[in-house]
Amino acid sequence: MLGILGGMGPMATVDFMRKLVEATPAGRDQDHPGALVLQASDIPDRTRAILDGGPDPLPAMLAGLRRLEAAGATRIAIPCNTAHHWHGALQARTALPILHIVDAVAGKLLDRGYRGGPIGVLATTGTLQAGIYTGRLARHGFTCVAPVDQAAVMRAIRLVKAGGVAEAGATLRDQARGLIAAGCRQVVLACTEIPLALPASDEAFGVALLDATQALAEACVAGTPARLAA
Amino acid sequence: MLGILGGMGPMATVDFMRKLVEATPAGRDQDHPGALVLQASDIPDRTRAILDGGPDPLPAMLAGLRRLEAAGATRIAIPCNTAHHWHGALQARTALPILHIVDAVAGKLLDRGYRGGPIGVLATTGTLQAGIYTGRLARHGFTCVAPVDQAAVMRAIRLVKAGGVAEAGATLRDQARGLIAAGCRQVVLACTEIPLALPASDEAFGVALLDATQALAEACVAGTPARLAA
C-alpha cells in the first residue's frame, strides 16, 4: 500500500491525492489501489531549515514515516519538492522504497521527447539552494534555470499556503513567461503549492508547463503492481 | 489526530479532505491539525450489502480502523454516508470516538434555523433502506423525504464513481428540484459522491442544498482541541 507523507502543505497533499485518483483507471471504488495519507502538518518549514538554520524537519518527517510504516505502508511518496532535500536521510532509515519526485519529473521530460537543454524551475528558494533538481536533472543532460525574481516566487508560494491563490497565480505566470523567454522549452512547477495557483493546464502556456505533483502521481500509479496494471 | 476511514469512494475522500483543509483557519502549513487518511478502496459496496446480501463490508472497515489506530489516530471520521449503517458495530469495537455524519448534518440544520419539518435526502438506496438518516433526524423533529426517482439517483451515484460527473449532475439536479417542489426546505446531499456532481453552491438552489461532506468536515474542525480553537 502506498504511504503518502503529506501535509507540506495540506492543500498540496489534497491536490496530489486528486491527481493520484484521476491517474488511476477505475470504474468503481474497488478498482483503486489503497493508499494511506498522513497530513503531517507539524513538520517544520523546509525552506527555513535549508536557508536560515530553522528547526530541522527530519525528526518530524521520520515520525510521520514511522506512522505510515506502522499502518502497513509498503512504499512512500512525498508530495513536497523541498522535503526531498531529506530524501536520502529518510531512505537510509527505512526499508520501504521512497519515490523521488525529481526522477518522476525527469521521466516525464524524457517521455515528452526532451533530451537535455535548459529547463525552468519554479520552486522554493530552499529547493533551488539545496540543488534538489540540479543534480538529478543533470544526469539526463538538462540544465536548471532559476526565475529572474526568485524572491517573488517564494512570496507567491507562501501566499498560496495562506489562501491567496489569485495574486500568487499572477506572479507565477510572470516568472514562468520570463523562463520561456530565456529559452526554456519546459518550466517545471517544482513546488506542490504552485499548481494550486498556476495549473499546468493554463492555456497561455500550451504544453510548456510540467507539473511535478502530476508527475509524481503518475509515477505512483505506474509503479502499482495491481490488477489494474493489465 | 483525526483518522479518516476513506476510499468510499476515493474521490469523495479527496473532496472531504479539501473541505477539511478549507474549513481550518490557517495561514501556514503548521496551523493545520494533523490527519491520517486511509483510502481503503477494498471495502465492499455498502449499498449492495444492505440491499442484496452482497459481501459484508464490516471486516474491511474494521481492518482499516485498526490501521488508523496503529498509526496513532485518536478519533475517526468516515466520509461515506452509507458506511454509517455500520457505525454502531465499528464504535462497539474501538475506544476511539467515531463522529456520526448524520449528527453533523442535524447540527447544521439547527444552525440554519430549522426546527423540524420535511427534509429531502439524496442518498444511496442503501442509506435510505437502512434508515441511516431517518432515526437520527427524527430526534430533532425532521422527517426524511426520498426523491421521486430513487433508481435514477442511485444510477447517478454509480456514474460519479465511474467519472460521469456531468450526466450525473443533471439527474441529481432534477431530483433535488422535485424534493423542493414537494415542500422540502432543505435537501441533504447525503452521499459523498453527490457534491462531486451537484455542489451545494449550485446557484440555482440558493441555500436549499446541505452538503453532508461539508457538515462532517466542519464538525471535525469544531471538535479539534487545537491551538486554533482560540
Side-chain angles (χ1 to χ4, degrees):
Chain A
M1 177 178 290
L2 178 66
I4 299 164
L5 184 58
M8 303 176 276
M11 195 56 96
T13 294
V14 172
D15 184 52
F16 172 70
M17 288 181 63
R18 182 174 65 75
K19 287 167 180 166
L20 189 64
V21 172
E22 285 177 349
T24 304
R28 47 179 205 144
D29 297 356
Q30 293 77 14
D31 293 338
H32 290 264
L36 192 70
V37 189
L38 182 65
Q39 286 280 36
S41 44
D42 58 337
I43 296 175
D45 191 286
R46 283 67 62 196
T47 288
R48 294 227 162 85
I50 292 170
L51 298 184
D52 311 325
D56 182 3
L58 184 61
M61 282 197 272
L62 202 52
L65 186 61
R66 295 287 176 253
R67 280 184 192 268
L68 293 171
E69 286 175 339
T74 54
R75 59 202 181 100
I76 301 292
I78 307 175
C80 170
N81 291 265
T82 318
H84 282 72
H85 182 53
W86 292 271
H87 180 276
L90 288 166
Q91 188 60 85
R93 287 166 175 80
T94 181
L96 305 184
I98 307 177
L99 284 84
H100 198 297
I101 197 166
V102 183
D103 291 344
V105 167
K108 196 87 186 167
L109 285 169
L110 297 171
D111 283 352
R112 290 187 177 182
Y114 296 102
R115 296 285 179 272
I119 299 294
V121 181
L122 284 179
T124 65
T125 310
T127 291
L128 294 186
Q129 288 267 345
I132 295 169
Y133 272 73
T134 318
R136 285 191 182 242
L137 287 193
R139 291 181 201 166
H140 303 282
F142 299 112
T143 51
C144 290
V145 182
V148 169
D149 190 351
Q150 174 57 28
V153 172
M154 194 65 223
R155 279 196 303 276
I157 290 168
R158 295 215 188 279
L159 207 53
V160 175
K161 287 182 188 288
V165 164
E167 190 183 339
T171 300
L172 293 166
R173 214 164 275 117
D174 283 349
Q175 296 302 313
R177 269 195 213 100
L179 286 164
I180 292 165
C184 297
R185 290 165 69 201
Q186 292 275 286
V187 174
V188 182
L189 309 180
C191 166
T192 53
E193 306 295 329
I194 291 178
L196 300 175
L198 173 60
S201 59
D202 190 298
E203 55 192 22
F205 290 95
V207 292
L209 304 183
L210 197 165
D211 179 349
T213 307
Q214 178 75 34
L216 182 63
E218 290 176 13
C220 288
V221 172
T224 302
R227 53 194 168 229
L228 283 166
Chain B
M1 177 179 290
L2 178 66
I4 298 164
L5 184 57
M8 303 175 275
M11 195 56 96
T13 294
V14 172
D15 184 52
F16 173 70
M17 288 180 64
R18 182 175 65 76
K19 286 166 180 167
L20 190 65
V21 172
E22 285 177 349
T24 304
R28 47 180 204 141
D29 297 355
Q30 293 76 16
D31 293 338
H32 289 265
L36 190 68
V37 188
L38 183 64
Q39 286 278 37
S41 44
D42 58 337
I43 296 175
D45 190 287
R46 284 67 61 196
T47 289
R48 294 227 163 85
I50 292 170
L51 298 185
D52 311 324
D56 182 4
L58 184 61
M61 283 198 270
L62 203 52
L65 185 61
R66 295 289 175 252
R67 279 183 192 267
L68 293 170
E69 287 175 339
T74 54
R75 59 203 181 99
I76 302 292
I78 307 175
C80 170
N81 291 265
T82 318
H84 282 72
H85 182 53
W86 292 270
H87 180 276
L90 288 167
Q91 187 61 85
R93 287 166 175 81
T94 181
L96 305 184
I98 307 177
L99 283 85
H100 199 297
I101 197 165
V102 183
D103 292 344
V105 167
K108 196 86 188 168
L109 286 169
L110 297 171
D111 284 352
R112 290 186 176 181
Y114 296 101
R115 297 283 178 272
I119 299 294
V121 181
L122 284 179
T124 65
T125 310
T127 292
L128 295 185
Q129 288 267 345
I132 295 169
Y133 272 74
T134 318
R136 286 192 180 240
L137 288 192
R139 292 182 201 166
H140 304 282
F142 299 111
T143 51
C144 290
V145 182
V148 169
D149 190 351
Q150 173 57 26
V153 172
M154 194 65 223
R155 278 196 304 275
I157 290 168
R158 296 217 189 275
L159 208 53
V160 175
K161 287 183 189 286
V165 164
E167 189 184 339
T171 299
L172 294 166
R173 214 165 276 118
D174 282 349
Q175 296 302 314
R177 269 195 213 101
L179 286 163
I180 291 166
C184 298
R185 289 165 69 200
Q186 292 275 287
V187 174
V188 182
L189 310 180
C191 166
T192 53
E193 306 296 329
I194 291 178
L196 300 175
L198 173 59
S201 60
D202 189 298
E203 55 192 22
F205 291 94
V207 292
L209 303 183
L210 197 165
D211 179 349
T213 308
Q214 179 76 35
L216 183 62
E218 291 176 13
C220 288
V221 172
T224 302
R227 55 196 166 227
L228 284 166

